[in-house]
């Protein structure tokens, strides 16, 4: 993978606004409202807020999946909006990992083939592919289903396959939209501990979640309301339990306001 050696401001968003046209009308819904933020090396960020607050829209724009109506997004000093489509595809492949709520797996391919696809397309050797898949699937507890097809797997298994597919390329930045949504509590904890290990190893993680416990594995919480970041919280040196309590208090205060 092409490693870039920038220490700070890996991702910069400047005055991001996103508007959606309301069908059969001349009005627009403003999903994001003039958001600016920076994400640095070593960050592990949880984006929180009520339904409709703009969480997933912000994640999609930061991760290059969607394009803002106005403002700029830079990753490694590259302004994403100015990249041609084939350059953007290459950029995503080289640097970004995506974990979506919906698995979007190829139904006619085995689990192994689904996880291996991006590596195969990058001409990684079969031996290396097998090694990397063995490592990540053992970490996620899905090594026993590699010969199965998506239709033969449970929802929780498919979510772990989605996670494996995102992590197998060893991306520098991981974007995750409710990554534990289809997982039981034990597997959710294991995934968050894996995220922490990856973050400790230098990976940036940006995650949308509604769950205070899941957010307590992060280093920073951004709370959105009406398309704006109205509050944030950093873990600092407190324990995870203390951080969890602070997140609960933050959400309670903001939900009551």
């Amino acid at each position: 993978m092409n490693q870039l050696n920038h220490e700070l401001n890996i991702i910069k968003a400047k005055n991001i606004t996103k508007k959606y046209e309301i069908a059969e009308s001349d009005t627009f819904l403003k999903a994001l409202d003039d958001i600016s933020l920076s994400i640095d090396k070593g960050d592990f960020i949880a984006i929180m807020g009520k339904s409709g607050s703009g969480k997933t829209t912000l994640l999609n724009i930061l991760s290059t999946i969607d394009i803002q109506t106005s403002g700029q997004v830079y990753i490694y000093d590259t302004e994403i909006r100015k990249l041609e489509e084939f350059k953007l595809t290459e950029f995503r492949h080289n640097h970004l990992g995506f974990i979506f709520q919906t698995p979007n797996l190829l139904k006619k391919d085995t689990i192994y083939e689904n996880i291996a696809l991006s590596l195969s397309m990058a001409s990684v050797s079969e031996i290396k592919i097998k090694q990397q898949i063995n490592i990540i699937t053992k970490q996620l507890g899905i090594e026993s289903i590699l010969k199965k097809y998506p239709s033969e797997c449970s929802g929780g298994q498919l979510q772990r396959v989605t996670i494996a597919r995102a992590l197998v390329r060893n991306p520098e930045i991981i974007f995750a939209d409710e990554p534990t949504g289809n997982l039981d509590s034990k597997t959710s904890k294991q995934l968050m501990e894996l995220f922490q290990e990856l973050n400790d190893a230098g990976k940036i993680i940006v995650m949308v979640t509604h769950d205070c416990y899941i957010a307590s594995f992060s280093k920073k919480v951004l709370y959105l309301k009406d398309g704006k970041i109205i509050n944030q919280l950093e873990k600092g040196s407190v324990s995870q339990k203390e951080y969890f309590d602070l997140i609960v208090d933050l959400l309670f205060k903001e939900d009551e306001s």
Side-chain angles (χ1 to χ4, degrees):
M1 176 178 292
N2 179 23
Q3 297 287 340
L4 297 179
N5 187 27
H6 295 266
E7 291 300 315
L8 295 174
N9 295 153
I10 304 299
I11 303 173
K12 291 183 289 186
K14 296 182 177 181
N15 307 111
I16 296 301
T17 295
K18 180 66 177 181
K19 297 178 181 178
Y20 294 103
E21 186 174 3
I22 299 175
E24 300 180 0
S25 75
D26 295 325
T27 59
F28 291 84
L29 171 66
K30 188 179 286 187
L32 295 179
D33 187 4
D34 197 33
I35 286 179
S36 295
L37 61 87
S38 63
I39 298 174
D40 300 335
K41 186 175 177 64
D43 274 348
F44 182 173
I45 294 174
I47 301 173
M48 306 189 77
K50 290 183 178 180
S51 178
S53 61
K55 305 185 298 296
T56 295
T57 302
L58 177 59
L59 186 80
N60 287 345
I61 288 174
L62 294 177
S63 66
T64 78
I65 297 300
D66 198 1
I67 296 294
Q68 65 276 10
T69 305
S70 62
Q72 297 84 39
V73 174
Y74 299 84
I75 303 180
Y76 294 125
D77 297 326
T78 297
E79 186 175 356
I80 298 303
R81 195 170 187 173
K82 292 185 177 180
L83 288 178
E84 296 179 18
E85 188 59 38
F86 79 97
K87 284 289 187 181
L88 180 57
T89 299
E90 181 181 55
F91 186 89
R92 289 171 180 154
H93 180 83
N94 287 337
H95 305 293
L96 312 180
F98 306 92
I99 301 172
F100 302 108
Q101 294 185 58
T102 304
N104 292 323
L105 301 174
L106 299 175
K107 296 178 181 180
K108 294 183 179 181
D109 286 352
T110 65
I111 296 303
Y112 182 95
E113 290 167 340
N114 268 282
I115 298 172
L117 181 60
S118 62
L119 296 177
S120 299
M121 293 175 65
S123 300
V124 177
S125 71
E126 188 58 43
I127 293 175
K128 183 66 174 177
I129 291 174
K130 189 172 183 179
Q131 289 174 341
Q132 291 181 232
I133 289 179
N134 284 343
I135 291 170
I136 196 65
T137 54
K138 284 181 180 178
Q139 288 177 315
L140 293 168
I142 53 172
E143 68 272 22
S144 64
I145 66 169
L146 292 178
K147 294 182 179 179
K148 292 185 176 182
Y149 291 88
S151 61
E152 300 174 310
C153 301
S154 68
Q157 288 173 327
L158 294 178
Q159 181 66 0
R160 282 180 277 174
V161 172
T162 301
I163 294 163
R165 185 179 57 181
L167 300 184
V168 74
R169 291 187 292 104
N170 194 28
E172 300 153 13
I173 307 171
I174 299 164
F175 295 98
D177 190 1
E178 299 282 4
T180 62
N182 294 317
L183 303 179
D184 59 39
S185 58
K186 179 181 178 181
T187 308
S188 295
K189 182 174 183 291
Q190 290 172 342
L191 174 61
M192 287 301 102
E193 289 172 346
L194 174 58
F195 273 14
Q196 285 185 324
E197 291 174 14
L198 293 169
N199 182 241
D200 290 342
K203 308 298 182 188
I204 291 173
I205 298 172
V206 184
M207 170 183 71
V208 165
T209 184
H210 68 280
D211 189 317
C212 294
Y213 175 68
I214 297 303
S216 73
F217 286 85
S218 73
K219 292 179 178 176
K220 181 188 294 184
V221 169
L222 303 180
Y223 187 90
L224 269 65
K225 183 177 181 180
D226 298 329
K228 290 180 175 289
I229 298 172
I230 64 167
N231 213 331
Q232 55 185 304
L233 185 65
E234 294 196 30
K235 182 176 186 292
S237 60
V238 304
S239 69
Q240 184 174 353
K241 174 62 169 64
E242 291 171 315
Y243 187 42
F244 170 80
D245 290 340
L246 290 171
I247 295 170
V248 172
D249 288 344
L250 171 65
L251 265 63
F252 179 77
K253 179 181 73 174
E254 297 299 347
D255 287 350
E256 289 294 303
S257 64

